Amino acid sequence: MCGIVGYVGKQQAAPILLQGLSKLEYRGYDSAGVAVFDGDGIVVEKCKGRLKTLCDKLDDGNSLKGTLGIGHTRWATHGEPSDINSHPHMSDKGRIAVVHNGIIENYLKIKEYLIQKGYVFVSETDTEVIAHLADYYYSGDILDTVIKVINKLEGSYALGIICKDNPDEFIAVRKDSPLIIGLSEDGNFAASDIPAVLPYTRRIYLLEDKEIVRVRRDEVVVCNTDREVVQKEVFEVDWNVDAAEKGGYEHFMFKEIMEQPRALRDTVNPRIRDGKIVLDGISIKGKDVENIDNIYIVACGSAYHVGVVGKYIIEKLSRIHVEVDLASEFRYRTPLITDKTLLIVISQSGETADTIAALREGKRRGARVLSVVNVVGSTIARESDDLIYTWAGPEIAVATTKAYSTQLSVMYLLAGYFAQEKGLVSGEQTAEYIRILQKLPSLAEKVLENKEDIQYFASLHYNSKDVFFIGRGVDYAVSLEGSLKLKEISYIHSEAYAAGELKHGTISLIEEGTLVVALATQEALFDKMISNIKEVKARGAVVLALAVEGNTAIEQVADSVIYLPKCEDLIAPSLAVLPLQLFAYYISVIRACDVDKPRNLAKSVTVE
Ligand code: F6R
């Protein structure tokens, strides 16, 4: 959950490192640091706080001279955010500096061993053991040293390592944490994610676990732990640098909310051909689909919420039993997996530690794995049997919006595809379903046009202490996401409840003035929702309802109503989530919260 970057080349390293870190801050932002070889030795500058503090301290990098360096932006795991615990970490005598993303699980054992050998530790981090262990094994050959070090490490890591004796190269290596290599005429890079190198190059190497890279100014050599050279293919990034910039918007989150119609089009349209749903990345067809008797969907956070909607629609359309699991739970239970089980893994980053572990556990038990991933070439993408990319483009705001929406659109595609392949639907029904899906982007545009209404509701409710989101069926699934969006970026306590469940305990929390956001987009459940709204109104709640245009009866029970354009029940979740995202966004802005980088969070959760 940290971001690392490395550079060696013709330019001054520090400004490039800081610029690269600014693109990785979404991965962690409680402290930052750089280490640069200045001609005599390694100079480390680091401090607690946002990257800006470090940039100010270093005059945007201009005060540090040298053309080789590594940098880090941190999301604390071992040891509080502090100057000392910030990376890079140095070995005794200042020979080796290390930046690390991940967790070293056996660090205490290594630390004890090194203390016995006379090493002195200054930080509480697990990373510091890597620097000292490298010093301990150092033989004059840094590649050999790094191989010895990683052979001792348990856990996950992406590492950038520089050594005082090698002023023209750094070493990069990964295991279970993301790392890419950027290649350019003016120098070469390593980084946790592509946006960090995109201003300089589009040519990258995607690394496999335990590939060790010697990065020099005019040469990059990748090898395995036996020092055998590995030939890598260059991956050309085809999206624009602007895609990872704010482009005039005040916040990434707002930009990404507004990009959703485009992202939906890009994800859905290429998968519709000749009146059919065509999923190129998956090889399960016809009989294979008929053969599936059980689907597990595993994911974390918002991606899990997508799975909850997915369960409703896949079961409804394809008549296959679906279970949804939090990846962190799935990995430690004993799911009933057979050779007829399909595991659907959903992840924006493709690097979420719990989701990767769940995928591997599912595979180990014999499930076929189909992943829905946004980041091309990520671990989950690479380890899956079948793959569907969401074409949301880079998502920078920590709170997901466009990735959620595109993941959801893939659930619709999959549900329709399974029904089509099982022969449950006629050509006409498929055509009608496709028509409904293809309407989604323009309906989403309509919803987003009404953003000022949502801004107004946010201005009425930004001071709420507690907010409850209620809904039935897929509306309940969307409530989960609405509630998460609100709490994570505005720090208002909120909960999502299946509307029929509230009276089994939680209704005791409703008091005079409590805000209840009630989703009532489902025709078949509309009257039931009216009753549930009445129940909370009777206890003093203020109700903001979400309904589909024309269902004006809701105005008789709710205090205010947000209307969605007329749409089929099935796709209402894709539209209903949009006002909830905007509601959370505007409340966060009014409360002067850090919208794109909420406290305690990081975008890519690469630790368990
Ligand atoms: C919330 C949010 C998280 C992620 C979760 C999974 O706004 O973004 O809940 O959905 O951490 O991340 P991915 O999709 O990268 O596996």
Side-chain angles (χ1 to χ4, degrees):
M1 317 247 290
C2 305
I4 73 169
V5 59
Y7 171 76
V8 56
K10 296 181 188 159
Q11 315 290 329
Q12 290 298 308
I16 291 178
L17 296 174
L18 293 174
Q19 152 95 7
L21 291 177
S22 72
K23 301 287 183 280
L24 299 177
E25 237 193 328
Y26 72 87
R27 304 180 62 83
Y29 34 84
D30 59 42
S31 41
V34 291
V36 171
F37 184 79
D38 74 350
D40 291 325
I42 298 171
V43 182
V44 172
E45 293 286 353
K46 56 185 186 173
C47 55
K48 179 182 163 182
R50 292 287 163 92
L51 180 65
K52 172 137 192 358
T53 316
L54 184 70
C55 291
D56 290 348
K57 191 174 161 193
L58 301 181
D59 184 21
D60 289 327
N62 294 316
S63 66
L64 255 188
K65 297 296 170 210
T67 55
L68 163 71
I70 50 178
H72 189 268
T73 177
R74 181 169 187 246
W75 185 84
T77 57
H78 293 58
E80 58 170 7
S82 70
D83 291 354
I84 294 280
N85 288 334
S86 310
H87 300 211
H89 289 282
M90 285 282 258
S91 66
D92 280 5
K93 305 181 278 293
R95 182 189 280 144
I96 289 164
V98 176
V99 288
H100 168 219
N101 167 34
I103 287 188
I104 305 305
E105 284 162 7
N106 59 340
Y107 85 103
L108 281 175
K109 219 165 97 193
I110 300 175
K111 190 168 177 175
E112 265 169 37
Y113 179 77
L114 290 169
I115 288 172
Q116 279 171 19
K117 297 285 173 197
Y119 283 89
V120 178
F121 283 76
V122 293
S123 79
E124 300 155 274
T125 64
D126 51 343
T127 305
E128 198 183 350
V129 301
I130 303 174
H132 292 315
L133 195 61
D135 184 82
Y136 175 69
Y137 281 135
Y138 188 63
S139 55
D141 177 343
I142 187 67
L143 192 64
D144 182 60
T145 305
V146 172
I147 292 172
K148 285 190 177 126
V149 168
I150 64 169
N151 281 340
K152 290 286 171 204
L153 299 181
E154 286 166 22
S156 58
Y157 48 82
L159 299 173
I161 299 174
I162 56 176
C163 173
K164 190 167 100 167
D165 301 342
N166 297 48
D168 53 3
E169 70 178 21
F170 70 91
I171 304 289
V173 59
R174 62 157 273 174
K175 181 185 158 272
D176 295 340
S177 288
L179 193 64
I180 56 107
I181 301 294
L183 311 163
S184 89
E185 295 297 309
D186 282 352
N188 295 307
F189 306 78
S192 299
D193 198 1
I194 295 170
V197 303
L198 216 47
Y200 313 100
T201 181
R202 295 171 168 282
R203 301 173 64 239
I204 63 168
Y205 286 157
L206 301 168
L207 297 181
E208 298 296 332
D209 275 356
K210 293 206 176 175
E211 284 180 343
I212 306 149
V213 195
R214 192 162 216 155
V215 188
R216 293 190 173 136
R217 180 170 147 168
D218 45 18
E219 185 190 38
V220 171
V221 180
V222 182
C223 66
N224 61 21
T225 47
D226 294 327
R227 295 191 75 142
E228 291 160 349
V229 172
V230 177
Q231 296 303 335
K232 302 291 292 181
E233 255 180 51
V234 174
F235 173 80
E236 290 277 348
V237 180
D238 62 1
W239 41 270
N240 208 300
V241 70
D242 304 346
E245 299 290 341
K246 276 194 204 150
Y249 288 95
E250 200 180 335
H251 298 105
F252 277 111
M253 183 176 177
F254 190 66
K255 173 180 177 248
E256 289 162 6
I257 289 174
M258 300 312 282
E259 280 174 352
Q260 289 177 105
R262 192 272 309 146
L264 287 169
R265 265 185 206 107
D266 289 354
T267 304
V268 173
N269 285 356
R271 273 111 188 195
I272 309 288
R273 261 177 261 150
D274 303 327
K276 290 189 93 176
I277 298 172
V278 182
L279 301 175
D280 287 329
I282 78 173
S283 55
I284 333 168
K285 295 190 186 354
K287 280 258 171 294
D288 310 322
V289 179
E290 271 174 48
N291 207 26
I292 300 169
D293 67 0
N294 187 25
I295 295 176
Y296 282 100
I297 303 182
V298 293
C300 300
S302 295
Y304 167 79
H305 297 158
V306 170
V308 181
V309 187
K311 174 184 165 68
Y312 283 99
I313 52 185
I314 294 173
E315 284 190 341
K316 187 175 168 122
L317 297 189
S318 70
R319 308 309 300 151
I320 306 173
H321 174 248
V322 182
E323 268 190 60
V324 197
D325 260 53
L326 292 164
S328 54
E329 291 297 313
F330 180 86
R331 61 183 292 191
Y332 293 119
R333 68 186 188 90
T334 41
L336 299 174
I337 289 177
T338 69
D339 56 357
K340 293 185 169 186
T341 303
L342 177 68
L343 183 69
I344 300 182
V345 172
I346 308 175
S347 175
Q348 187 283 129
S349 62
E351 300 292 349
T352 303
D354 281 320
T355 314
I356 293 172
L359 177 158
R360 290 179 183 161
E361 180 59 16
K363 262 194 151 178
R364 194 182 67 76
R365 289 175 178 274
R368 186 173 183 89
V369 178
L370 185 163
S371 293
V372 180
V373 178
N374 196 42
V375 176
V376 174
S378 55
T379 304
I380 292 177
R382 290 201 309 261
E383 293 193 13
S384 303
D385 302 307
D386 296 296
L387 174 65
I388 303 181
Y389 278 121
T390 48
W391 298 121
E395 192 179 61
I396 309 294
V398 165
T400 182
T401 52
K402 61 177 180 169
Y404 172 95
S405 284
T406 50
Q407 288 163 351
L408 198 53
S409 70
V410 172
M411 292 297 110
Y412 289 119
L413 286 169
L414 270 176
Y417 176 79
F418 291 152
Q420 169 189 297
E421 293 302 294
K422 281 178 81 178
L424 298 180
V425 280
S426 65
E428 261 167 41
Q429 284 168 317
T430 304
E432 173 61 8
Y433 186 66
I434 288 173
R435 193 191 59 76
I436 292 171
L437 288 193
Q438 290 193 307
K439 258 188 350 195
L440 246 183
S442 56
L443 290 175
E445 262 155 16
K446 268 195 174 166
V447 177
L448 295 175
E449 272 165 21
N450 290 336
K451 55 187 182 307
E452 280 77 18
D453 293 349
I454 316 292
Q455 192 171 19
Y456 169 70
F457 290 126
S459 75
L460 298 183
H461 297 296
Y462 73 95
N463 247 339
S464 303
K465 193 161 97 15
D466 305 290
V467 180
F468 292 85
F469 289 76
I470 58 171
R472 286 171 173 264
V474 284
D475 277 343
Y476 163 58
V478 179
S479 300
L480 292 168
E481 180 60 6
S483 170
L484 177 61
K485 284 287 89 84
L486 182 68
K487 67 184 125 189
E488 71 178 325
I489 61 168
S490 74
Y491 317 142
I492 294 175
H493 166 251
S494 86
E495 288 186 42
Y497 260 83
E501 182 65 14
L502 205 65
K503 56 183 159 300
H504 296 286
T506 309
I507 202 162
S508 64
L509 292 173
I510 306 287
E511 51 188 21
E512 205 54 43
T514 305
L515 177 63
V516 174
V517 180
L519 280 72
T521 72
Q522 300 295 295
E523 197 62 49
L525 299 166
F526 187 75
D527 292 342
K528 303 278 172 213
M529 275 307 294
I530 297 281
S531 307
N532 295 135
I533 292 172
K534 281 185 180 161
E535 283 162 11
V536 292
K537 281 295 296 173
R539 272 91 188 161
V542 173
V543 174
L544 171 59
L546 203 71
V548 175
E549 243 168 45
N551 281 342
T552 48
I554 201 148
E555 289 171 21
Q556 290 162 26
V557 288
D559 296 275
S560 15
V561 184
I562 299 167
Y563 285 110
L564 301 178
K566 271 215 172 310
C567 62
E568 289 69 15
D569 279 14
L570 197 76
I571 59 159
S574 277
L575 303 180
V577 74
L578 306 175
L580 303 187
Q581 294 168 345
L582 284 167
F583 187 63
Y585 169 76
Y586 285 122
I587 289 194
S588 176
V589 172
I590 298 169
R591 290 167 69 96
C593 298
D594 196 339
V595 177
D596 287 335
K597 298 187 195 106
R599 70 184 178 208
N600 303 338
L601 294 177
K603 179 105 188 126
S604 179
V605 187
T606 53
V607 295
E608 187 174 346

